[in-house]
Amino acid sequence: MEELIKEYKLILDKFNVQKSNNSRLWNIGFETGRFLYEEVLRNKPSKLLEIGTSNGFSTFWLALAAEKLGVDVDTIEIDKDRLNLARENLRGITNINFILGLAKNIIPKLNCCYDFIFIDACKPEYIDYLKSLLPILNKNALIIADNVVSHEKSVHEYLDFVRNNPIFSTETVIIESGLEITRFLAG
């Protein structure tokens, strides 16, 4: 991991500067990024989806790990300026498919199945994202939702759904803003 950090120091520094200069960039923390990277490598998904690109910091971690597996990351962002910034930041990383639009409108139109989902967008809509994802989740898909501790009230419907539904196995991991790590058992 330290070699990776050294190799990508310039882009990591760029993300930090952007985040400190723009309050509209809602990035995960560094430890969450490392966690995502390791989870992708551990789970070996064939297709990844990210909901909430921002300037591409989490996309960066997902795509680096996915690249080692030879797979792509689809990432959805509602804000055109943030998506363009992510495209610029991640220029040269070729396994990313950028999708502009409202996630709850785009998800039902996706025509592939996913093994790995990262959700970090409009918190009250987490539940809607998940319900619309159900038809396109492969069995044992891993769903990671960010901000479940820092925004617990905003994501309470999502948490109630995954914690009290037998088609999921779930646990909260206390890293930075808190992650809900959910395994889809049906499919």
Side-chain angles (χ1 to χ4, degrees), residues 83-123:
L83 192 69
N84 286 336
L85 186 57
R87 277 189 177 113
E88 177 64 26
N89 288 338
L90 301 170
R91 191 173 9 127
I93 301 175
T94 59
N95 64 327
I96 304 169
N97 303 309
F98 295 97
I99 305 167
L100 176 65
L102 189 61
K104 66 182 182 179
N105 294 339
I106 290 170
I107 293 168
K109 297 175 186 173
L110 296 171
N111 60 358
C112 60
C113 291
Y114 293 93
D115 304 300
F116 193 104
I117 311 286
F118 178 59
I119 304 172
D120 187 18
C122 181
K123 309 312 175 218

Side-chain angles (χ1 to χ4, degrees), residues 94-172:
T94 59
N95 64 327
I96 304 169
N97 303 309
F98 295 97
I99 305 167
L100 176 65
L102 189 61
K104 66 182 182 179
N105 294 339
I106 290 170
I107 293 168
K109 297 175 186 173
L110 296 171
N111 60 358
C112 60
C113 291
Y114 293 93
D115 304 300
F116 193 104
I117 311 286
F118 178 59
I119 304 172
D120 187 18
C122 181
K123 309 312 175 218
E125 293 181 10
Y126 278 23
I127 184 66
D128 298 326
Y129 303 148
L130 181 61
K131 287 181 178 179
S132 62
L133 285 165
L134 290 176
I136 58 171
L137 290 177
N138 286 326
K139 184 174 181 162
N140 292 318
L142 189 67
I143 306 142
I144 300 179
D146 192 30
N147 302 112
V148 299
V149 174
S150 63
H151 293 72
E152 187 173 8
K153 288 182 182 176
S154 298
V155 298
H156 74 278
E157 285 183 73
Y158 175 88
L159 293 174
D160 186 56
F161 187 70
V162 296
R163 291 175 179 169
N164 296 300
N165 193 321
I167 65 170
F168 300 111
S169 170
T170 195
E171 70 174 303
T172 304

Side-chain angles (χ1 to χ4, degrees), residues 14-28 53-57 77 79 81-83 85-86 89:
K14 185 184 212 181
F15 282 122
N16 285 332
V17 169
Q18 288 174 353
K19 185 177 178 184
S20 63
N21 291 338
N22 186 340
S23 63
R24 291 192 64 240
L25 299 176
W26 303 301
N27 292 348
I28 60 170
T53 313
S54 190
N55 66 332
F57 186 65
E77 174 58 47
D79 185 275
D81 292 335
R82 285 194 300 252
L83 192 69
L85 186 57
N89 288 338

